[in-house]
Amino acid sequence: RNTTRRRESPMSETITLMKSHTSVRRFKEEAIPQEDLNEILSAAQMASSWKNFQSYSVILVRSQEKKDALFELVPQEAIRQSAAFLLFVGDLNRAEKGARLHTDTFQPQGVEGLLITAVDAALAGQNTLLAAESLGYGGVIIGLVRYKSVEIAELFNLPDYTYPVFGIALGVPNQKHDVKPRLPLENVVFEEEYQEQTAEAIEVYDRVQTEYAGARATTTWSQRLAEQFGQPEPSSTRENLEQKNLL
């Protein structure tokens, strides 16, 4: 007997929302009510988390003064236009306090701690954006905050065992783009084992991305890969991680 569940209804509202995501970088001068922010951030907390440690924190920035100070460090217009800017922080500071209830040894340094905190923050961040979009808001994830990790740690008074992972600028959208094309599914999903691809798959996707961008295209997708990974990593993240006793 075939007990496979058949989908008889149209695509769910959740999937439709997820597949219609676009980054929003320009916002109207409208606040996000506290009730909506509470709903968005409560939804963020329900994301999966390693051992339920919830190894992240969120700093909510609404004052224009603080947004302007952040903009001076990370000149992204979405930051100072946003109704709310959320800084997602990888956080083992709470873990240190909890661990010391039971042991004098606390060793968060290393790759595993960074993966735990970064993944926890990223999962909560994606929930945040989806929840915001479900309420009619828009936003964009800004990873460039890591390039000014030391300065941002000072601006937000980040203690030991914490570091900035990314930010999300949220607000009422004042722009609308078409959905950006992703790689074909067969380029990222492999049956049973990894299937390494040739450069041809990259070149094909370059053309797809360039066609999507149109007149806005200044570099190809692979050229941006070269810009990102063709040089040493920015030093600020590592410097801050060392200062905060995470490396």
Side-chain angles (χ1 to χ4, degrees), residues 54-59 87-91 94 121 162-163 166:
Q54 301 163 77
S55 301
Y56 68 94
S57 292
V58 182
I59 298 177
L87 180 68
F88 282 76
V89 176
D91 189 350
R94 283 190 299 272
T162 67
Y163 67 102
F166 57 85

Side-chain angles (χ1 to χ4, degrees), residues 187 195-203:
N187 288 162
Q195 298 170 34
E196 192 168 359
Q197 295 150 66
T198 66
E200 182 181 1
I202 306 298
E203 292 169 338

Side-chain angles (χ1 to χ4, degrees), residues 35-243:
E35 181 181 3
D36 286 356
L37 280 172
N38 289 345
E39 286 295 317
I40 290 166
L41 293 168
S42 295
Q45 285 191 285
M46 300 312 294
S48 297
S49 166
W50 173 263
K51 297 185 179 180
N52 198 33
F53 289 162
Q54 301 163 77
S55 301
Y56 68 94
S57 292
V58 182
I59 298 177
L60 170 60
V61 181
R62 285 183 284 190
S63 73
Q64 196 60 46
E65 179 183 4
K66 203 65 169 280
K67 285 185 287 187
D68 287 345
L70 179 58
F71 177 82
E72 291 299 313
L73 296 173
V74 186
Q76 296 286 305
E77 187 60 35
I79 292 174
R80 60 180 178 183
Q81 278 197 19
S82 65
F85 183 84
L86 307 176
L87 180 68
F88 282 76
V89 176
D91 189 350
L92 291 178
N93 188 276
R94 283 190 299 272
E96 188 262 348
K97 292 175 172 61
R100 291 199 185 281
L101 294 174
H102 307 278
T103 177
D104 292 331
T105 302
F106 183 65
Q107 297 178 310
Q109 297 83 11
V111 172
E112 189 62 24
L114 295 178
L115 287 173
I116 288 171
T117 51
V119 171
D120 271 14
L123 293 172
Q126 186 62 30
N127 262 24
T128 297
L129 202 49
L130 284 170
E133 289 172 345
S134 77
L135 295 176
Y137 301 108
V140 60
I141 294 176
I142 300 177
L144 285 173
V145 297
R146 293 191 299 275
Y147 287 20
K148 294 291 184 178
S149 288
V150 173
E151 295 88 346
I152 285 173
E154 182 177 352
L155 179 63
F156 291 99
N157 198 29
L158 299 186
D160 279 353
Y161 314 121
T162 67
Y163 67 102
V165 187
F166 57 85
I168 301 181
L170 290 179
V172 178
N174 198 24
Q175 63 178 182
K176 177 64 178 175
H177 294 305
D178 293 333
V179 175
K180 187 176 294 184
R182 280 3 189 206
L183 285 159
L185 206 57
E186 61 266 23
N187 288 162
V188 294
V189 179
F190 311 128
E191 290 278 356
E192 308 300 341
E193 63 181 25
Y194 193 93
Q195 298 170 34
E196 192 168 359
Q197 295 150 66
T198 66
E200 182 181 1
I202 306 298
E203 292 169 338
V204 169
Y205 189 58
D206 265 348
R207 293 193 289 271
V208 170
Q209 280 285 332
T210 300
E211 182 179 352
Y212 160 81
R216 293 182 289 123
T218 56
T219 58
T220 65
W221 187 70
S222 61
Q223 283 173 329
R224 294 194 294 277
L225 288 173
E227 291 169 359
Q228 178 71 45
F229 300 111
Q231 57 186 334
E233 67 178 6
S235 61
S236 188
T237 297
R238 177 174 292 275
E239 181 181 346
N240 184 62
L241 290 171
E242 290 171 349
Q243 289 177 0

